[in-house]
Amino acid sequence: MDDRRSSPDRRRQPQSGPHPAQGAALMPAISTLMFSEIAMFKTLIAAALLAGTAASASAHEIWIERDGATARVHVGDAAGERDKGEDIAKLVATSRLFETRPDRAFAMTAQPDHLVADVGGAGDLRYYNDQVWEPWKTEEGSYQAAAFQAKAGRDSTRAVHAFELVPVAPGSDSFILTFKGQPLADTGITVINPDLWEKTFKTDGEGRFTVPVAAKGRYILVARHTAPADVEIAGQRVASLQHIASLSFVAH
């Protein structure tokens, strides 16, 4: 007869595992390991956020598309996806669209995928905004910000922005890249043609380069330059500025 109540094979066996005293001894080591893993995780997250900010900066530009009395300011990748919605609307308060004087800026309103302004018969236009993004912390521990400086037109041969592409003559396909009035040699400039084909060139020893204009339509030029700074932006003191310049013109 199979008496399951008394069968020795079906008795509950003692649980295996550390003695309570051993478990207590292990707790500090386990806690140390957990805190170490948490700290490492936080470090990885911070590095990923920093990389994301840098990637966003390298993939974003602001450029002006001028058609008669209407100027549209676009944000994003000139050859790809553009910002929309709230990302555009929030820029109205910090945007300045002007000819040569930022204190005489045109009124701008937000559309679904761009800012727009009536500029009448104005000449070359310029746009400035250093609060598209909040300042971010660099790997060195200091803060950096981005200053977007756009221009539409190639008639004016005088730089107004700190970082600007200036035509060597009105209407010229050749430009000088200047920073605070001085030419920047051996600096990359990305050219986006009317078919959204893009290629990066470099300025020569005198900061000059020529756009290969091969078709009618709008050309967009983009350049970047990071320099030390000591300014306050959006309530944060920054030690460097990433200057992002663009120039757009229509070839007829």
Side-chain angles (χ1 to χ4, degrees), residues 94-113:
T94 55
S95 292
R96 297 291 180 271
L97 180 68
F98 56 96
E99 287 187 82
T100 58
R101 293 182 55 176
D103 60 337
R104 294 183 178 179
F106 296 100
M108 306 191 73
T109 57
Q111 299 299 309
D113 63 353

Side-chain angles (χ1 to χ4, degrees), residues 47-173:
L49 290 173
L50 178 61
T53 301
S56 296
S58 65
H60 268 66
E61 48 261 0
I62 293 182
W63 70 99
I64 307 167
E65 295 186 359
R66 169 81 177 274
D67 292 298
T70 301
R72 294 178 297 276
V73 176
H74 293 276
V75 185
D77 182 354
E81 187 174 352
R82 302 178 181 188
D83 290 1
K84 300 177 181 178
E86 179 58 29
D87 288 335
I88 294 295
K90 70 180 183 181
L91 300 180
V92 172
T94 55
S95 292
R96 297 291 180 271
L97 180 68
F98 56 96
E99 287 187 82
T100 58
R101 293 182 55 176
D103 60 337
R104 294 183 178 179
F106 296 100
M108 306 191 73
T109 57
Q111 299 299 309
D113 63 353
H114 63 274
L115 300 174
V116 65
D118 183 350
V119 296
D124 289 354
L125 296 172
R126 293 172 177 85
Y127 173 93
Y128 183 87
N129 197 332
D130 58 17
Q131 297 183 52
V132 176
W133 300 309
E134 293 183 359
W136 63 90
K137 208 168 190 178
T138 66
E139 293 179 348
E140 292 75 23
S142 59
Y143 279 89
Q144 185 176 90
F148 290 87
Q149 297 153 84
K151 180 183 177 183
R154 50 177 173 166
D155 290 332
S156 173
T157 58
R158 181 176 68 89
V160 174
H161 288 312
F163 189 43
E164 187 170 316
L165 286 152
V166 180
V168 298
S172 176
D173 296 338

Side-chain angles (χ1 to χ4, degrees), residues 4 11 19 30 55 58 68 72 105 118 140 167 175 178 195 199 219 227 229:
R4 297 177 183 272
R11 294 175 190 166
H19 186 275
I30 293 173
S58 65
R72 294 178 297 276
D118 183 350
E140 292 75 23
F175 298 84
T178 64
D195 297 323
K199 184 175 180 180
Y219 288 77

Side-chain angles (χ1 to χ4, degrees), residues 205-237:
E206 297 180 340
R208 297 189 178 207
F209 89 108
T210 298
V211 180
V213 175
K216 296 179 180 180
R218 194 182 314 274
Y219 288 77
I220 301 171
L221 320 179
V222 181
R224 291 175 169 82
H225 178 65
T226 300
D230 184 17
V231 295
E232 184 174 302
I233 293 177
Q236 176 65 57
R237 204 77 190 174

